[in-house]
Amino acid sequence: MAKFHFLTLALTFIHCFMVIHAVIVRNLTADQRILLQFKHQVVDPQSILADSWTTTRSICNWIGVSCAAKHSRVQVLNLANMNLTGTIPPALGNLSFLASLNLSGNGFHGGLPSELGQLSRLNTMDLSFNLLSGEIPSSFGSLNQVVHLNLQVNKLSGAIPGGISNLANLRRLGLGENELSGSIPSSIYNMSSLETISLFSNSMSGEIPDELCHHLPNLQRLDLGSNEFSGHIPTSINACRDLQVLFLDNNRLSGTIPTSIGNLTTLRVLILDENLLEGEIPWEIGNLVNLEVFSATNITLTGLIPRSIGNLTSLIELYLGPDELQGEIPEEIGNLGSLEIFSAANMSLSGVIPPSIFNISSLRELYLQWNNLLTGKLPEMSASNLEQLHLWGNKLTGNIPESICNVSKLKVINLGANSFSGHIPNNLGNLRFLEKLLLWKNNLTTHGQWSFFPSLLNISSLTHLDLSVNPLGGVLPTSISNLSKSLTVFSVAECDIGGTIPMEIGSLNNVILLQLNSNNFTGSIPVTIGRLEKLQFFSLAGNQLQGSIPHHICGLKSLYELSLEANELEGPLPACLSELTSLRKLNLFSNKLHSAIPSSFWRLVDISEVYLSSNYFNGSLPPDIGNLKVVTRLDLSGNLFSSDIPPALGRLHNVQVLLLSHNRFQGPIPESLGDLISLTTLDLSDNNLSGVIPKSLEKLRGLESFNVSLNRLEGEIPSGGPFSNFTDQSFVKNGALCGPPRFRVSPCVHPHPKKTLLQVLRYVLPTFASIIIVIACIVVCIQLKKKKKSTNLTTVEDSIPLKEWKRISYDQLSKGTEGFSEANILGEEDSIKQTMTLATIGYMAPGDSSLMQEDDEYFVVKANCVSSIIQLALDCSAELPEDRTDMKNVIFMLRNIKRKFLNEVAQD
């Protein structure tokens, strides 16, 4: 019986084992199927999954996969930073025992599958640093076991879903650096276990809720930086009694820094940069004894730096400015024994720099530049760990202390734009880690011939050496060739250096910027300069250099800006300059360069600024000048260029300043200049230009300065577009220009529209003909009188037979003016005494003197009539248009002459 009982138990156990094993195998097979589907859906460039996730290996031994010991189900999936891409398959939501999912640091894109909300056992989800987009699924509100949810650095959008309030166990919420919008939902108040809220770098807006810290008292980290939050910093912020990190930077917060912030005694990091905050730094800031980082830059702070800041003995980094803080730097800053970085730049601080600052042994970086009112001497230095010293742009005076040479870890010294005087220390070579020595714009001198220079040759790490704008004098040492091979910037501009430029300058093989300008260098440009193949910015301007521009300069293949202006260089422009394809700015003005510009020069199609003025360049400008498509400033003034201005200039659509004055250009101003849509300044003065100012220039709406004076231009000055803003100074000494009085030129004469001869005749001739007919009638009357000796005339009409009136009135009018020949009116004999011109009659005395004797009264009437017509004709042909009688009045006056003539004849 016992044996049977044992056998029964054994069989039952074996059965149960087999059932459980079958379930486990079936479930593992299901998990395996899901992960294999995932494997086939993603791109695996490093074949990490391809080599590990195979059916011949247990799923629990796959890379990135961990199984639960109790159930042997997939519990952890960690594929972080494997460079995987693709979409996240919804089937992952069926890994029902999954407790941790980490796919961060890959290239997954697309939306978040809502099926992931089915992972009821999940306590950690990290999908950060991918390319996921779309909204956060509301189903994530079902992940009520999740403790850590990190979706940072993706492209998620929309608002934070309200269902997130169901995540009662959530402690860390990371949604930073996405494209989320909307405000902080009030539902977040239900997540009382939250310790971290990270919403930085989104587009969230609204005010920071006053109740936030009352409902989330366990908050340790609140990061709301780089959003669009507005309003005040809640005074209730002190309710977050465990808060350690507070980022509120890059928002639109206004008001003052609340004094209640001083109650956050656990606070370690406080960042308030880039807001609309104003007012003073509250004295209570000194209560934050655990504060390690405090940054309040680019906000409108006023008042003084509170002395209580000296209580922040844990402070490691302190950043202030630019703002309106003023007054002295508190001496108490010296109490900050842990301080490593102190930045108080671009403010209005005054007084001396407290010596105690340089006694802080932990200090690594000091930034006090651009305060303008800091004065006094630079204190002795014992800050042994100091690496960065930025004091430029102040009013510091005195010598540079020799003790600076003992701060052995210094990497950057920037004391520029002060009033330091005396000698440059001779032992700077002790600073073996020095990378940048910037002493520009002071009153520093040397012990004799650059006595400080040999020590600099020992600094192999030196990359920047700027001694410009100091009265160093002397000559440039030939030992310059022994400077650091790492040197990229060398500037000794405006240092009163004389002599020649040493040939050893060509040994600075890695230099990018070389400034020797505004000195007293003589001689020629050394040919060794062509060895500086990495040189990008090169200036020799403002010296006394002579000779030609060496062709070796064309070896500077990386050159971006070349400045040789204000020297005594002569000769032609090297044709090989066209090989400098990286050149963007060329300054050669005020030299003695001559000849025509090489045709190859116009191949510099990427050059943006060209200054060739005040030289002796000659010849004409070729059409190829239009190749300079990106040029913004072109100054060719003060040369000997001649011929016409090429229309191809109209292709320079990016040019803003075009100066062609003081040359010998002739011909018209090209119409194409009206196509220079970016032009702000155009100077064509002092040339030999002729013709009119093109109306096309009225299109240049941005033209601010225009000068065409001292030319031979004529015609009307345009009135549209920018011309309404110009003064008479733009047009002086152009003899034939005309326009409004404000330009101080002659007024323009606008002639009446010209009529054709036929139009004039049709308009005027009928009236003239009518008068001529009347005169002819009188002549006929006189002839009849001589024949008939009539003495009973009462009117002219009575003295002429009816048939004669009909003949004159109808027959002659029907023939037009051609019917009124001298023979018809005066007879053959008298016709030669009269001359005819268009629309006027000139009368000459008849040969028959008896007519005058017998009928002089008729002659006087006739002569007066003709005289009136002649006077009217003269009035119509006056020189000035305003003095001419208009045609309407001409007709009226002619009719009066006719009427008067008839009346006088009738009275006689």
Side-chain angles (χ1 to χ4, degrees):
M1 185 68 181
K3 185 181 292 185
F4 176 78
H5 180 69
F6 174 78
L7 183 60
T8 302
L9 288 175
L11 290 172
T12 302
F13 175 77
I14 292 171
H15 175 74
C16 290
F17 175 79
M18 292 179 68
V19 170
I20 292 172
H21 182 264
V23 170
I24 291 174
V25 170
R26 184 168 63 251
N27 287 333
L28 281 176
T29 301
D31 289 353
Q32 185 185 54
R33 185 170 58 253
I34 293 170
L35 292 183
L36 287 175
Q37 179 184 351
F38 175 86
K39 169 188 172 182
H40 292 127
Q41 191 166 333
V42 301
V43 177
D44 179 16
Q46 297 174 341
S47 300
I48 297 174
L49 304 184
D51 296 338
S52 174
W53 287 21
T54 64
T55 55
T56 59
R57 181 183 295 182
S58 170
I59 186 175
C60 297
N61 293 326
W62 288 1
I63 190 169
V65 178
S66 298
C67 297
K70 183 177 181 181
H71 302 291
S72 297
R73 296 290 303 276
V74 174
Q75 190 174 34
V76 175
L77 182 59
N78 185 353
L79 302 178
N81 303 309
M82 291 188 178
N83 201 25
L84 304 175
T85 60
T87 59
I88 298 175
L92 285 185
N94 295 325
L95 296 174
S96 54
F97 278 79
L98 197 64
S100 177
L101 174 62
N102 189 346
L103 302 179
S104 63
N106 286 290
F108 289 109
H109 58 269
L112 289 170
S114 60
E115 288 81 359
L116 295 182
Q118 301 169 187
L119 301 174
S120 58
R121 290 181 171 86
L122 198 68
N123 61 54
T124 298
M125 179 189 286
D126 190 349
L127 304 179
S128 61
F129 293 92
N130 279 286
L131 301 171
L132 299 169
S133 58
E135 297 185 353
I136 300 172
S138 59
S139 63
F140 277 28
S142 301
L143 302 174
N144 50 23
Q145 298 299 316
V146 75
V147 174
H148 179 199
L149 177 60
N150 189 359
L151 303 177
Q152 294 186 160
V153 194
N154 278 287
K155 296 183 177 181
L156 300 173
S157 58
I160 299 174
I164 204 169
S165 61
N166 298 328
L167 309 184
N169 294 309
L170 192 65
R171 294 183 182 180
R172 294 184 296 278
L173 175 62
L175 300 176
E177 201 162 331
N178 278 286
E179 299 172 6
L180 300 174
S181 57
S183 58
I184 299 174
S186 58
S187 59
I188 205 171
Y189 300 158
N190 298 330
M191 304 160 69
S192 57
S193 298
L194 268 177
E195 298 174 356
T196 297
I197 298 178
S198 184
L199 301 177
F200 70 92
S201 296
N202 280 286
S203 298
M204 301 192 67
S205 58
E207 297 187 357
I208 301 173
D210 287 331
E211 305 86 359
L212 186 68
C213 285
H214 289 301
H215 292 280
L216 304 176
N218 296 315
L219 268 182
Q220 298 177 14
R221 182 185 180 97
L222 178 60
D223 189 347
L224 305 180
S226 299
N227 278 282
E228 299 175 12
F229 291 114
S230 57
H232 292 52
I233 299 174
T235 55
S236 60
I237 194 76
N238 61 335
C240 292
R241 56 184 180 272
D242 295 326
L243 197 63
Q244 298 179 24
V245 176
L246 178 59
F247 283 91
L248 300 177
D249 57 298
N250 288 281
N251 279 286
R252 299 176 182 176
L253 299 173
S254 57
T256 60
I257 302 173
T259 57
S260 60
I261 210 165
N263 297 326
L264 300 174
T265 55
T266 59
L267 202 62
R268 294 187 297 106
V269 177
L270 175 59
I271 310 295
L272 304 174
D273 307 335
E274 300 281 352
N275 274 289
L276 304 176
L277 297 170
E278 56 188 7
E280 300 183 353
I281 299 174
W283 182 269
E284 289 77 6
I285 203 81
N287 298 333
L288 307 180
V289 292
N290 291 302
L291 197 63
E292 298 175 0
V293 179
F294 177 40
S295 185
T297 64
N298 289 294
I299 56 179
T300 314
L301 292 176
T302 56
L304 309 175
I305 299 176
R307 295 189 179 277
S308 63
I309 209 164
N311 299 332
L312 307 179
T313 54
S314 299
L315 202 62
I316 297 174
E317 300 178 14
L318 174 59
Y319 304 94
L320 302 172
D323 49 40
E324 298 177 13
L325 288 174
Q326 55 188 352
E328 298 184 350
I329 300 172
E331 182 72 30
E332 288 80 1
I333 293 284
N335 299 335
L336 307 180
S338 301
L339 193 64
E340 296 181 7
I341 300 175
F342 178 34
S343 177
N346 293 57
M347 300 193 292
S348 298
L349 298 178
S350 58
V352 300
I353 300 174
S356 60
I357 289 181
F358 293 100
N359 294 328
I360 302 175
S361 60
S362 59
L363 191 65
R364 293 188 297 106
E365 300 177 17
L366 179 61
Y367 302 88
L368 298 176
Q369 70 269 19
W370 278 130
N371 274 287
N372 297 321
L373 300 177
L374 285 178
T375 58
K377 296 182 177 181
L378 188 59
E380 296 293 326
M381 297 187 183
S382 59
S384 56
N385 289 301
L386 192 63
E387 298 177 3
Q388 304 257 357
L389 179 61
H390 298 264
L391 302 178
W392 50 278
N394 286 293
K395 294 183 178 178
L396 301 174
T397 57
N399 294 337
I400 298 174
E402 290 287 343
S403 60
I404 199 172
C405 302
N406 299 325
V407 185
S408 58
K409 293 184 179 180
L410 269 173
K411 294 181 179 179
V412 177
I413 299 176
N414 194 340
L415 306 179
N418 277 286
S419 297
F420 289 113
S421 57
H423 305 305
I424 297 175
N426 285 339
N427 296 313
L428 289 172
N430 295 341
L431 306 176
R432 299 303 176 90
F433 299 103
L434 192 64
E435 297 174 1
K436 298 181 181 180
L437 178 61
L438 311 174
L439 304 178
W440 50 283
K441 201 175 182 182
N442 281 285
N443 295 310
L444 298 169
T445 57
T446 66
H447 292 283
Q449 293 294 319
W450 289 49
S451 56
F452 68 92
F453 200 73
S455 68
L456 299 182
L457 307 180
N458 299 324
I459 308 175
S460 59
S461 56
L462 195 63
T463 62
H464 290 62
L465 179 58
D466 190 347
L467 307 176
S468 60
V469 197
N470 281 287
L472 298 179
V475 298
L476 196 60
T478 56
S479 59
I480 191 174
S481 59
N482 296 323
L483 280 170
S484 168
K485 300 303 180 185
S486 302
L487 195 69
T488 58
V489 172
F490 180 55
S491 179
V492 288
E494 202 171 334
C495 287
D496 199 27
I497 304 172
T500 60
I501 301 173
M503 299 290 284
E504 287 78 3
I505 198 82
S507 299
L508 303 178
N509 296 328
N510 291 304
V511 74
I512 293 174
L513 183 146
L514 179 58
Q515 293 179 325
L516 307 178
N517 53 289
S518 304
N519 282 290
N520 300 313
F521 288 117
T522 59
S524 59
I525 300 173
V527 296
T528 55
I529 209 76
R531 301 175 186 170
L532 307 180
E533 295 182 358
K534 297 182 180 179
L535 191 62
Q536 297 179 22
F537 301 88
F538 181 32
S539 179
L540 293 175
N543 283 286
Q544 301 169 29
L545 297 171
Q546 299 175 335
S548 60
I549 300 174
H551 287 74
H552 303 80
I553 211 164
C554 300
L556 307 178
K557 301 301 183 183
S558 301
L559 201 60
Y560 181 92
E561 181 174 350
L562 175 60
S563 299
L564 304 178
E565 69 270 18
N567 279 285
E568 298 177 14
L569 299 171
E570 56 187 4
L573 209 58
C576 61
L577 284 180
S578 61
E579 299 173 12
L580 302 179
T581 55
S582 297
L583 193 64
R584 298 295 180 269
K585 298 181 180 181
L586 177 62
N587 301 294
L588 299 178
F589 65 85
S590 193
N591 277 286
K592 298 179 180 179
L593 300 169
H594 57 73
S595 300
I597 296 178
S599 59
S600 59
F601 180 81
W602 311 113
R603 299 176 195 159
L604 292 171
V605 294
D606 294 319
I607 199 164
S608 61
E609 297 182 20
V610 177
Y611 303 94
L612 302 180
S613 63
S614 300
N615 280 286
Y616 298 98
F617 292 117
N618 55 41
S620 60
L621 298 180
D624 287 347
I625 196 172
N627 295 338
L628 308 185
K629 296 293 180 61
V630 298
V631 72
T632 59
R633 295 172 181 268
L634 180 59
D635 186 357
L636 305 178
S637 61
N639 282 286
L640 302 174
F641 292 116
S642 58
S643 192
D644 289 3
I645 297 175
L649 281 174
R651 302 205 303 265
L652 308 183
H653 294 161
N654 290 298
V655 71
Q656 300 172 16
V657 176
L658 178 59
L659 307 178
L660 303 178
S661 60
H662 306 289
N663 277 287
R664 297 176 179 176
F665 289 114
Q666 59 190 26
I669 299 173
E671 288 275 350
S672 62
L673 295 190
D675 297 330
L676 303 180
I677 56 177
S678 302
L679 201 62
T680 61
T681 300
L682 176 60
D683 192 347
L684 305 176
S685 63
D686 196 11
N687 278 287
N688 196 30
L689 299 174
S690 58
V692 300
I693 300 174
K695 295 278 288 183
S696 63
L697 299 185
E698 292 180 332
K699 297 185 297 184
L700 304 180
R701 301 295 178 179
L703 193 62
E704 299 172 357
S705 177
F706 178 67
N707 193 350
V708 291
S709 60
L710 297 167
N711 279 289
R712 297 190 300 112
L713 298 172
E714 60 185 25
E716 184 175 6
I717 297 173
S719 57
F723 285 86
S724 60
N725 301 319
F726 300 148
T727 68
D728 61 292
Q729 295 303 307
S730 297
F731 310 101
V732 296
K733 295 191 177 179
N734 277 281
L737 285 177
C738 67
R742 64 188 181 89
F743 290 145
R744 298 187 180 183
V745 294
S746 301
C748 295
V749 176
H750 297 286
H752 292 291
K754 294 182 178 179
K755 293 182 179 292
T756 66
L757 178 59
L758 183 59
Q759 289 174 319
V760 173
L761 290 175
R762 286 177 178 174
Y763 189 63
V764 177
L765 197 55
T767 303
F768 274 98
S770 178
I771 294 175
I772 293 171
I773 290 170
V774 174
I775 296 172
C777 292
I778 301 304
V779 172
V780 171
C781 181
I782 293 171
Q783 297 297 333
L784 291 173
K785 181 180 177 184
K786 290 174 64 177
K787 293 179 180 180
K788 297 181 179 180
K789 302 294 185 177
S790 176
T791 57
N792 296 318
L793 282 176
T794 57
T795 64
V796 175
E797 289 86 343
D798 293 334
S799 65
I800 303 175
L802 182 60
K803 62 178 181 179
E804 292 293 337
W805 277 114
K806 289 182 178 179
R807 182 178 63 84
I808 295 173
S809 300
Y810 298 105
D811 184 48
Q812 300 300 331
L813 278 177
S814 65
K815 296 179 181 179
T817 54
E818 295 178 0
F820 294 101
S821 66
E822 295 90 335
N824 288 339
I825 297 175
L826 301 178
E828 294 293 339
E829 185 178 326
D830 293 330
S831 66
I832 60 173
K833 299 297 195 294
Q834 184 168 343
T835 61
M836 285 284 289
T837 59
L838 179 63
T840 62
I841 295 178
Y843 182 79
M844 300 183 69
D848 191 351
S849 60
S850 63
L851 180 62
M852 292 183 61
Q853 293 172 355
E854 296 181 9
D855 299 293
D856 57 338
E857 66 274 15
Y858 289 99
F859 173 76
V860 171
V861 172
K862 179 180 176 183
N864 287 341
C865 174
V866 174
S867 175
S868 298
I869 295 174
I870 292 173
Q871 183 59 50
L872 180 57
L874 291 173
D875 291 343
C876 290
S877 59
E879 182 176 0
L880 296 177
E882 57 266 28
D883 294 336
R884 299 172 191 162
T885 305
D886 62 77
M887 295 309 298
K888 187 174 183 180
N889 286 332
V890 168
I891 300 301
F892 177 77
M893 294 173 70
L894 284 172
R895 287 172 178 168
N896 281 344
I897 293 172
K898 171 185 175 183
R899 189 179 301 109
K900 182 178 179 182
F901 178 76
L902 290 174
N903 290 337
E904 289 179 352
V905 171
Q907 291 174 3
D908 292 337

